[in-house]
Amino acid sequence: MKRTVPLIIAATVGFVVIISWFIPYAQSWGQNVMIWFDILAAIAIVLGGGNLVKMHLRKVSDRRSGWGYSLITLLAFFTTLAIGLSKFGVNPSELYPDYVWSGNHLQEGGGFWWIYQYLYLPLASTMFALLAFFIASAAFRAFRAKNVEAIILLGTAFFVLFGKTYAGVIVSKAPLEWISTTLGWQTDALEMFRLDRFQETIMDTFNAWGNRAIMIGIALGVASLSLKVLLGVDRSYLGSQE
Amino acid sequence: MNRCMIVWTLLLALGGAYLLARAVTGHMGLAYIRQRSFDAQAEFRGQIAEIDVQEQATQAAGMTLDKEKAERRNWLKTRLPAVQGIRWTSYDRVTPREQLNRNGQRDPDVRFSWSNTIGIWLAALGTLCILSFLYGDNVFYKLAEAVIVGTSAAYAMVVGFWSTVMQNLFGKFVPSLVRATVLPSIPESTQSEWIYIVPLILSVLMLWRLSPVGGWISRWPLAFFIGATAGFRLVHYLHADFVQQISSTIVPLVVFKTDGSVEIGTTLKNSGMVASVLACLVYFFFSIEHRGSIGRIARVGIYILMITFGAAFAATVMGRISLITDRLTFLFDDWLWWIDPIGKRVGL
Amino acid sequence: MIEFFRHLDRRWIFLAMFFAIAIPILTGLTFPEDPSPMVRSVFQTVDDLPEGSSILIACDYDPASKGELEPMDAAFTRHCALKKHKIFYITLWPGAVPMIKKNIDILEDEFPNYKYGVNYVNLGFQAGQEGVIKVIVNELQDMYSFDDDGTNLDGIPITRDVKNIQQMDLIINISAGTPGAKEWIQYAATPYGIPMIAGTTGVGAPPLYPYIPDQLTGILGAIKAAAEYEQVLLEAYPEQCNNPRSRLGQQRMGSQLVGHLLIIGLIVVGNIVYFSDRKRGKV
């Protein structure tokens, strides 16, 4: 029951989705499955939030190291949740002003919008912006041209780094003009060697070819993993033997 | 106090004094709003009058009013008693320059906003707290991190609830209740779709995972989720990423122009593509030992992949730099008022 | 000198990066943009559509990628409005809902003749990631019965006759990750042949190149492409030159150049130190 029923559910649902793709008569079944899937995805977000609360409450109650920060997390969580669910500060919809809760939860001026605009947006953006500094540090400490592969990688990186800014034009313009005047070659024909154009060529050719091979490999991997799940061979999603 | 501490204390004190002086003199981090009053009955009467004018114009032209507009007018008229006395004031954020109208005089509808000003300062200080991690892990960073973790989780929950759970679960299962409270635009004729009891039950089972007892039942909706994912990914990955990609790789190795001569550029590109993709695929074939000619082909594949990764690294660098550029632009423009790239404060 | 770099505290590197980004911002350093053939091709894809075509703009990013994608999002919105296309905004990321509102602010401020519900609509967010795409390619109202403000789609002129997104003339996806351009290609563009262009982060662009041109018409990768797109837009619609907000991407390219040069310099210096150590037998 605990492990057999989920396997049957996974297989049934998966094959319904596959069959609905190939047999038009079954398309509505597949459509219903996907609608329920999307609803469950929203509930999964709620579950994720609930898990977060459970984890941090446990940390606070056990007084583990850093429990004060867990308290802050919980405070921020419940404040945002309360303001968002109650639509605090949100005016009703202008079409239905007599329905108090008809307004958009992210209406400008509302409490939830304020939290998004002045807490979530700046903090989330800055968290990822930190990576620019760490990439600089990593470039200095770790990127070594130790062998042929590393030299190719770094060489390509240099071309693309130059080419993706005006530096590529500055660096390559003068040499190409010299070649054009000295050897009499057409400027248009030499344009493809300008660094900004050259990096586009690298992206369009070698990068695309390499990624195509990776993509084909991944597609085969996804297909085999999906089949293993549908046929019940892979049961890792069921968790421990319980 | 050692020298490092003294230097840091001095820097912070000077910086703090500078910020205080600029803030007090009104030269940084201020936000303004334009107020808008809304009177529901006046708004509805205005829309009715507008449709009346349109009706007169169409009648003058010898035509009748659009049925949709006539129905809307009737709907507005029936709703007038319900919206009587409902008024509120809303606001839109405006740039500081909009304090002055076109004649250079103060616009009476535009006023200073405490909540948005506090918000800008909070955003700026939060940004600095996160950036302080670059010096070393510290209490300010941990505080900001704790806030963003809690806020982002709750934000996603709230948006998911109002968008999907309310509209597509409760709105389909109990439309009359949802119409009476949150979504009054649900048509009166909408009937409950009892089939939605299935996702409702699955949702409850999924949330049972949080319970200390009986958490195993959450495997059922999880299996539904995993099974559906496996089903649609199997089909679409094979279609888009396997069949289509192979199809795009099957191209003529030699391309001729209309006059019979070889089109060198396209020929080189096609030949290179086929050779490179095959070489990379040979590299990924780990069940054959990479020796001899297989080894040499696999080596070519590795070199192609290194070019791919080099391009990816460079693109990553570009992406990360643009993120910090955006944050520093916010600090210098919206908070410190040191720059004004889009003219938000021109004329002040 | 090499000794200095060998023991360099990474915080000095952070400071150098800070100045490399900050000084161009403070000085307003910008450079001319020469749009690439790919960017021009993406531009033509939107521009060649007949006036009033239906465009689905999927804004699949959040504040973490706002710095990179906001300029191209704004440029696409302006271009569609200049061409008088019908715009359907949608997102699969909860954090993108206010980003769509910023696009709507652009339409309200710069295109006063553009009316909500007639020329554009905001469908908002729905959970489910690629599951949403799977549903709306067959039946839009199975997932989106209302717009983001709760108005029934049957009451909105622009959505009244839209059964599903196969009726869209073009999908424009601005994507920061998953779900994003790859999912729109796999679940909408490839199976149903809907033309699609994508604007992605720098790291998201390289894996999408294999899809060009059969499954994806073109791609704008990173802020450089956004700046080039803005340039093409200014060349085609010179009246936009008076709008400083239409150069958001170009304003950020000064920092990009200096930042890139710093990274290249750091890699070179790091390798000099490495080879010096190897020569001395320390490695």
Side-chain angles (χ1 to χ4, degrees), chain B residues 61-114:
Chain B
M63 295 185 290
T64 52
L65 183 68
D66 198 9
K67 184 184 168 197
E68 197 183 298
K69 287 187 179 153
E71 280 174 4
R72 178 158 176 79
R73 184 175 53 188
N74 290 340
W75 179 81
L76 287 165
K77 282 181 177 170
T78 54
R79 302 262 298 129
L80 276 173
V83 305
Q84 190 178 15
I86 296 177
R87 291 182 188 85
W88 64 71
T89 306
S90 60
Y91 70 82
D92 303 309
R93 283 177 306 156
V94 294
T95 58
R97 73 184 282 191
E98 287 178 72
Q99 291 175 82
L100 305 173
N101 60 23
R102 281 192 191 150
N103 302 326
Q105 293 160 339
R106 287 264 161 210
D107 189 332
D109 289 331
V110 176
R111 64 175 182 84
F112 171 75
S113 165
W114 271 110

Side-chain angles (χ1 to χ4, degrees), chain B residues 328-337 339-341 344-345:
Chain B
L328 291 183
T329 304
F330 160 74
L331 287 177
F332 296 151
D333 183 8
D334 292 319
W335 186 48
L336 292 168
W337 286 15
I339 59 172
D340 190 8
K344 290 184 201 170
R345 293 176 292 282

Side-chain angles (χ1 to χ4, degrees), chain B residues 2-255:
Chain B
N2 62 23
R3 192 171 65 171
C4 185
M5 282 286 283
I6 293 171
V7 169
W8 272 115
T9 309
L10 264 174
L11 279 173
L12 284 170
L14 283 170
Y18 171 75
L19 289 175
L20 193 63
R22 280 192 64 122
V24 161
T25 53
H27 283 118
M28 67 177 279
L30 304 179
Y32 295 86
I33 51 171
R34 172 174 281 114
Q35 290 183 139
R36 229 173 3 103
S37 299
F38 180 83
D39 182 328
Q41 208 170 44
E43 175 69 23
F44 277 33
R45 285 192 200 283
Q47 289 184 33
I48 291 168
E50 206 176 293
I51 297 174
D52 287 340
V53 165
Q54 286 172 7
E55 188 180 37
Q56 285 167 11
T58 50
Q59 279 172 354
M63 295 185 290
T64 52
L65 183 68
D66 198 9
K67 184 184 168 197
E68 197 183 298
K69 287 187 179 153
E71 280 174 4
R72 178 158 176 79
R73 184 175 53 188
N74 290 340
W75 179 81
L76 287 165
K77 282 181 177 170
T78 54
R79 302 262 298 129
L80 276 173
V83 305
Q84 190 178 15
I86 296 177
R87 291 182 188 85
W88 64 71
T89 306
S90 60
Y91 70 82
D92 303 309
R93 283 177 306 156
V94 294
T95 58
R97 73 184 282 191
E98 287 178 72
Q99 291 175 82
L100 305 173
N101 60 23
R102 281 192 191 150
N103 302 326
Q105 293 160 339
R106 287 264 161 210
D107 189 332
D109 289 331
V110 176
R111 64 175 182 84
F112 171 75
S113 165
W114 271 110
S115 65
N116 285 289
T117 300
I118 289 169
I120 288 175
W121 278 78
L122 207 57
L125 293 172
T127 302
L128 293 176
C129 285
I130 301 275
L131 289 176
S132 70
F133 183 75
L134 294 170
Y135 188 75
D137 202 3
N138 59 81
V139 67
F140 298 110
Y141 170 77
K142 285 189 179 134
L143 210 68
E145 186 188 45
V147 167
I148 186 60
V149 166
T151 308
S152 56
Y155 173 85
M157 271 178 74
V158 169
V159 173
F161 175 78
W162 286 121
S163 310
T164 307
V165 176
M166 187 54 70
Q167 285 186 22
N168 289 331
L169 181 58
F170 296 133
K172 298 268 168 72
F173 190 56
V174 282
S176 51
L177 176 65
V178 175
R179 186 193 313 119
T181 49
V182 174
L183 285 171
S185 65
I186 295 178
E188 298 268 350
S189 56
T190 307
Q191 300 291 323
S192 298
E193 292 179 50
W194 296 108
I195 192 76
Y196 277 83
I197 199 158
V198 175
L200 181 65
I201 291 170
L202 286 173
S203 303
V204 171
L205 294 182
M206 190 174 242
L207 292 173
W208 212 270
R209 193 176 181 84
L210 297 170
S211 162
V213 187
W216 61 267
I217 198 75
S218 67
R219 287 179 191 160
W220 292 17
L222 186 65
F224 181 99
F225 207 77
I226 299 288
T229 306
F232 63 67
R233 282 198 177 177
L234 175 68
V235 171
H236 290 281
Y237 263 84
L238 282 177
H239 185 190
D241 286 9
F242 187 69
V243 171
Q244 277 290 328
Q245 288 299 311
I246 291 174
S247 167
S248 300
T249 312
I250 299 175
V251 290
L253 292 178
V254 183
V255 178

Side-chain angles (χ1 to χ4, degrees), chain A residues 2-3 6-7 10 224-242, chain B residues 209 218-219 222-223 226-227 230:
Chain A
K2 287 183 183 180
R3 294 180 77 82
L7 289 174
S224 86
L225 182 63
S226 299
L227 269 174
K228 278 159 62 175
V229 166
L230 293 176
L231 296 173
V233 175
D234 185 342
R235 302 175 188 191
S236 54
Y237 62 92
L238 294 177
S240 58
Q241 294 278 352
E242 195 215 314
Chain B
R209 193 176 181 84
S218 67
R219 287 179 191 160
L222 186 65
I226 299 288

Side-chain angles (χ1 to χ4, degrees), chain A residues 33 112-113 162:
Chain A
V33 165
F112 194 57
W113 169 86
F162 266 118

